[in-house]
């Protein structure tokens, strides 16, 4: 990448980035590359203006975002570095080629120090000794540095050592200037730098078109400063689809998405956004997340309106309430009951008891009003779904999620907020005014005047000590939720584990590290990921959160008890399409709503 003011940035698509600036930028820069003031003693300056000698501290201060699983680990040591160094010192085809006084880089040694490049090459080889890729990248890095300094480098690659696979109609050259050999240069001649780079060059009679070498007659199109190959489809705007035709002509047509929503190009394909669903979470002792993504803590142990419809005749009305159990000293307050009012029914699910419909006790599943409301056991909890898209999951302990379709935006209120896409007004009181504090907000949505606590005293909820917090952050505890390459890594891009991690730390500390509480916290994130369609890895072990299943069943990371129920008990087509972890009936047994029984023992 080159600019008109002298900035040049290169990237080798693997592990090397270089940035070159003119001297007019001296003493005006900051970041990992330093301040360019000619003084090496203040090169490692943090974003806060402090000089450090710790590379991890420097890297952390300039980190632009927190990515789950990302850590500052500059001081990675290779346990076999000594033997790797000895191996490369005597190897004829390896990192040693960089510093070989009679080798292809001998003319460069006086201008670009080969020692650091050799050491870096050996270090990378030591960490990944199974192939020559690390070695090739290390030597290629030195090649680039030498050529950038204007030094001629001799050929060092061979057919059986670090060979470069070139596309059809091209070949490798150690020194090439490919910028003038492109189709786009036909339309807008480019100024090529005098320095050459190693790479693939088109054969005579061919010219580069994107990542291919084609006859000049097959060159594509230049549109708004961007080059496109012949027959390539592209989207210059969110409402326009174009295609490059032979001869450099471009044909375009208008496109649109349902409901006036904006589509976008993903990997070269125009996609309209899927119908969005709003999800609210209540988990653990005090943790909540609104439909609009605001995370907050309410320490009260009362009965609350989690969410309900507030105005708007265009949507089906419903109310979701939760009942928190009283918190005893150093005990976690869970959700001991969930009540849902919908389609004229009041369904109550209470921990340790059968569900009720309009105060009448029922076994699950409950199929009401010709399937308009359906309640199943799903995994280790209960799933309620309606004909208009309301989904409620309750683990019968301390975790509830409510999911609603996009049509409910702006029509809801309660602890889950108004679902209007704005986080600034999530804490609205029933009057419509903004609450002065989270405690006031929580208290305003209590369902009754029954005695309960709006907060937690320091005696009942003492602050977590730094020592306890450090233990709980260990991968054998809550740390498993954030573990790089851990069982939940595949979920990080879809569901941020931070809410669940913080809830786990708080609940684990409050309960003095109670194993059951710890496992429930981790289970909440596991099921949330599976409900979102993510395939997670096994996280339970015989010595860590093992699950005891009832007779005729066994633990499974992916089970669907609704779909494996007694014939006629439920309509299998309406069962959840995704599996979650739980107890799965053994072969020859089916789920009757409570137990795993032989098929001939199914009830009515």
């Amino acid at each position: 990448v080159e600019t008109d003011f002298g900035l040049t940035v290169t990237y080798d698509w693997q592990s090397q980035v270089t940035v070159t600036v003119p001297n007019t930028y001296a003493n005006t820069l900051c970041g990992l590359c330093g301040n360019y003031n000619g003084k090496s003693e203040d090169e490692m300056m943090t974003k806060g203006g402090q000089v450090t000698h710790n590379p991890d501290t420097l890297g952390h201060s300039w980190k632009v975002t927190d990515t789950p699983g990302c850590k500052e680990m500059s001081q990675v040591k290779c346990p076999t570095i000594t033997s790797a160094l000895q191996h490369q010192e005597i190897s004829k085809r390896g990192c040693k080629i960089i510093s070989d006084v009679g080798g292809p880089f001998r003319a460069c040694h006086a201008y670009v120090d080969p020692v650091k490049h050799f050491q870096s090459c050996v270090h990378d080889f030591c960490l990944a000794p199974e192939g020559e890729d690390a070695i090739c990248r290390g030597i290629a890095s030195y090649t680039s540095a030498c050529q950038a300094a204007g030094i001629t480098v001799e050929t060092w690659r061979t057919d059986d050592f670090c060979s470069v696979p070139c596309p059809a109609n091209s070949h490798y050259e150690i020194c090439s200037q490919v910028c003038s050999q492109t189709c786009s240069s036909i339309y807008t001649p480019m100024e090529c730098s005098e320095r050459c780079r190693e790479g693939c060059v088109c054969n005579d009679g061919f010219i580069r078109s994107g990542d291919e070498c084609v006859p000049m007659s097959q060159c594509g199109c230049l549109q708004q400063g961007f080059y496109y190959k012949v027959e390539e489809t592209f989207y210059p705007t969110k409402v326009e689809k174009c295609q490059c035709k032979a001869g450099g002509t471009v044909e375009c047509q208008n496109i649109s998405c349902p409901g006036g929503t904006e589509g976008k190009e993903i990997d070269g394909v125009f996609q309209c956004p899927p119908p969005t669903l709003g999800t609210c979470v209540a988990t653990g002792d005090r943790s909540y997340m609104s439909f609009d993504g605001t995370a907050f803590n309410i320490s009260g142990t009362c009965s609350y309106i989690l969410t309900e419809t507030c105005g708007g005749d265009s949507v089906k009305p419903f109310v979701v309430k939760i009942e928190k159990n009283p918190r005893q000293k150093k005990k976690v307050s869970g959700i001991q009951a969930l009540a849902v009012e919908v389609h004229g029914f009041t369904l109550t699910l209470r921990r340790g008891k059968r569900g009720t419909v309009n105060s009448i006790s029922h076994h699950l599943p409950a199929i009401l009003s010709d399937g308009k409301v359906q309640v199943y056991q799903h995994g280790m909890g209960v799933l309620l779904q309606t004909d208009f898209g309301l989904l409620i999951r309750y683990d019968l302990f301390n975790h509830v999620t409510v999911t609603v379709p996009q049509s409910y935006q702006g029509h809801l209120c309660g602890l889950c907020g108004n679902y209007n896409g704005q986080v600034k007004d999530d804490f609205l009181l029933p009057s419509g005014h903004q609450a002065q504090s989270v405690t006031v907000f929580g208290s305003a949505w209590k369902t009754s005047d029954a005695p309960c606590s709006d907060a937690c005293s320091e005696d009942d909820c003492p602050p977590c000590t730094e020592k306890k917090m450090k233990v709980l952050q260990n991968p054998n505890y809550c740390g498993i939720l954030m573990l790089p390459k851990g069982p939940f890594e595949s979920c990080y891009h879809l569901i941020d584990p931070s809410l669940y991690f913080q809830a786990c730390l708080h609940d684990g500390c409050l309960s003095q590290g109670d194993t059951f509480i710890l496992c429930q916290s981790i289970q909440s994130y596991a099921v949330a990921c599976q409900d979102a369609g993510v395939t997670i890895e096994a996280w339970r072990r015989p010595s860590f959160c093992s699950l005891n299943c009832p007779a005729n069943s066994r633990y499974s990371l992916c089970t669907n008890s609704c779909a494996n129920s007694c014939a006629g008990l439920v309509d299998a087509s309406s069962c959840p399409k995704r599996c979650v972890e739980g107890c799965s009936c053994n072969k020859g047994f089916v789920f009757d709503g409570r137990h795993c029984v032989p098929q001939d023992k199914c009830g009515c």
Side-chain angles (χ1 to χ4, degrees):
V1 178
E2 295 180 330
T3 70
D4 59 353
F5 56 84
L7 169 68
T8 301
V9 181
T10 69
Y11 174 44
D12 68 354
W13 300 106
Q14 293 183 17
S15 60
Q16 178 172 296
V17 173
T18 69
V19 181
T20 305
V21 295
N23 56 17
T24 52
Y25 279 84
N27 207 29
T28 63
L29 302 175
C30 56
L32 295 183
C33 290
N35 52 21
Y36 189 25
N37 67 350
K39 302 175 183 177
S40 60
E41 58 267 23
D42 62 355
E43 196 76 330
M44 296 177 65
M45 186 173 292
T46 66
K47 194 171 184 178
Q50 301 295 316
V51 176
T52 180
H53 298 289
N54 187 327
D56 291 342
T57 302
L58 179 71
H60 182 79
S61 77
W62 291 106
K63 183 168 61 175
V64 295
T65 185
D66 280 313
T67 303
C70 170
K71 289 186 176 181
E72 288 81 24
M73 296 177 63
S74 65
Q75 302 298 324
V76 176
K77 300 294 184 183
C78 183
T80 58
I81 187 66
T82 303
S83 61
L85 191 60
Q86 292 172 346
H87 176 272
Q88 291 299 313
E89 284 283 3
I90 62 175
S91 175
K92 297 294 183 182
R93 296 198 311 183
C95 299
K96 182 62 178 175
I97 196 175
I98 293 174
S99 55
D100 187 354
V101 293
F105 298 101
R106 59 185 179 276
C108 186
H109 291 168
Y111 302 93
V112 181
D113 183 10
V115 176
K116 289 184 178 179
H117 284 269
F118 170 70
Q119 292 174 341
S120 176
C121 178
V122 173
H123 180 266
D124 290 355
F125 164 73
C126 182
L127 292 176
E130 62 279 355
E132 66 178 19
D133 287 352
I135 295 175
C136 298
R137 286 196 300 268
I139 302 174
S141 174
Y142 190 59
T143 302
S144 177
C146 291
Q147 291 179 327
I151 309 301
T152 300
V153 174
E154 297 178 10
T155 299
W156 58 274
R157 298 181 188 267
T158 63
D159 290 341
D160 59 351
F161 177 68
C162 297
S163 62
V164 176
C166 289
N169 307 315
S170 68
H171 61 279
Y172 167 80
E173 287 186 7
I174 185 66
C175 182
S176 65
Q177 289 181 317
V178 296
C179 73
S180 61
Q181 303 172 353
T182 63
C183 285
S184 57
S185 64
I186 298 174
Y187 303 103
T188 54
M190 300 174 63
E191 290 186 13
C192 292
S193 61
E194 295 182 1
R195 61 166 286 199
C196 65
R197 297 181 176 90
E198 65 165 348
C200 296
V201 180
C202 292
N203 298 339
D204 289 342
F206 294 86
I207 190 168
R208 184 171 289 277
S209 173
D211 55 357
E212 301 175 318
C213 288
V214 301
M216 190 171 293
S217 60
Q218 291 297 311
C219 275
C221 315
L222 194 70
Q223 181 83 350
Q224 297 177 356
F226 292 94
Y227 176 78
Y228 302 96
K229 295 189 290 186
V230 173
E231 299 302 320
E232 183 177 356
T233 299
F234 58 98
Y235 304 87
T237 68
K238 294 181 179 180
V239 294
E240 195 176 20
K241 175 182 178 180
C242 299
Q243 188 174 47
C244 173
K245 297 294 186 180
T249 59
V250 176
E251 295 181 359
C252 297
Q253 64 185 69
N254 292 329
I255 52 176
S256 62
C257 288
T261 57
E262 287 188 345
K264 61 181 178 179
E265 182 184 357
I266 301 176
D267 294 331
V269 178
F270 182 82
Q271 296 183 14
C272 292
T276 56
L277 301 174
T279 299
C280 172
V281 179
T283 190
D285 176 74
R286 62 173 190 174
S287 301
Y288 298 81
M289 180 173 285
S290 72
F291 286 120
D292 290 326
T294 300
F296 57 97
N297 298 322
I298 293 178
S299 297
T301 55
C302 307
S303 294
Y304 300 96
I305 293 177
L306 193 59
T307 184
E308 66 177 348
T309 46
C310 297
D313 297 331
S314 60
V315 294
K316 296 282 187 182
F318 68 86
V319 182
V320 180
K321 303 175 183 178
I322 59 171
E323 180 184 333
K324 300 281 286 184
N325 57 280
R327 184 190 293 107
Q328 299 172 344
K329 189 173 184 179
K330 296 183 179 179
K331 294 290 185 180
V332 171
S333 172
I335 300 172
Q336 65 182 8
L338 170 78
V340 182
E341 299 172 17
V342 62
H343 277 311
F345 298 99
T346 298
L347 299 97
T348 303
L349 299 168
R350 188 172 292 274
R351 185 193 306 164
K353 296 183 179 181
R354 289 199 296 179
T356 64
V357 179
N358 294 340
S359 301
I360 300 174
S361 179
H362 282 271
H363 287 299
L364 297 183
I367 313 299
L368 308 174
S369 192
D370 296 324
K372 289 183 178 179
V373 181
Q374 304 179 36
V375 189
Y376 311 104
Q377 181 168 331
H378 189 45
M380 288 165 287
V382 176
L383 172 68
L384 180 150
Q385 60 185 20
T386 70
D387 59 341
F388 58 84
L390 172 66
L391 278 173
I392 302 172
R393 297 172 178 86
Y394 175 35
D395 71 349
L396 298 172
F397 183 71
N398 69 352
H399 184 77
V400 170
T401 64
V402 181
T403 303
V404 295
Q406 190 176 10
S407 56
Y408 278 82
Q409 283 191 329
H411 297 303
L412 300 174
C413 55
L415 295 186
C416 289
N418 54 15
Y419 187 31
N420 68 347
Q422 305 290 325
V423 297
K424 61 184 179 182
D425 60 356
D426 268 354
F427 298 150
L428 293 183
L429 303 172
S431 64
H433 295 103
Q434 188 79 11
Q436 296 300 309
S437 68
V438 175
T439 302
V440 172
F441 171 66
S443 180
W445 289 104
K446 291 191 293 188
T447 61
S448 68
D449 295 327
C452 63
S453 173
D454 287 326
C456 188
S457 67
E458 194 165 308
D459 285 340
D460 289 336
C461 299
C464 194
T465 65
E466 186 176 339
K467 183 178 180 180
K468 287 182 181 178
M469 189 68 74
K470 191 171 183 179
V471 171
L472 289 169
Q473 290 173 342
N474 190 289
N476 291 326
Y477 294 92
C478 302
I480 193 174
L481 293 171
M482 308 284 281
L483 191 63
K485 306 298 182 184
F488 304 112
E489 184 187 33
S490 58
C491 190
Y492 294 157
H493 74 286
L494 201 60
I495 300 179
D496 188 341
S498 300
L499 172 76
Y500 296 87
F501 178 62
Q502 293 300 327
C504 182
L505 293 178
H506 170 81
D507 294 3
C509 194
L510 187 60
S511 64
Q512 303 289 317
D514 184 284
T515 303
F516 178 77
I517 298 296
L518 167 71
C519 297
Q520 286 293 136
S521 297
I522 301 170
Q523 175 186 301
S524 296
Y525 185 63
V527 174
C529 292
Q530 291 182 311
D531 279 335
V534 177
T535 300
I536 61 172
E537 296 178 13
W539 63 276
R540 298 181 188 268
R541 302 187 301 272
S543 60
F544 183 76
C545 296
S546 61
L547 194 67
N548 294 320
C549 288
N552 307 318
S553 67
R554 68 195 184 283
Y555 170 75
S556 173
L557 184 61
C558 183
T559 185
N560 191 332
S561 55
C562 174
N564 298 313
S565 299
C566 288
L569 187 64
V570 294
D571 178 5
S573 65
S574 64
C575 286
K577 300 298 184 286
R578 291 166 178 160
C579 64
V580 293
E581 67 164 355
C583 294
S584 177
C585 292
N586 295 336
K587 188 176 181 180
F589 293 83
V590 290
F591 188 63
D592 73 348
R594 291 180 296 167
H595 310 292
C596 290
V597 299
Q599 291 184 354
D600 59 357
K601 297 294 184 181
C602 282
C604 305

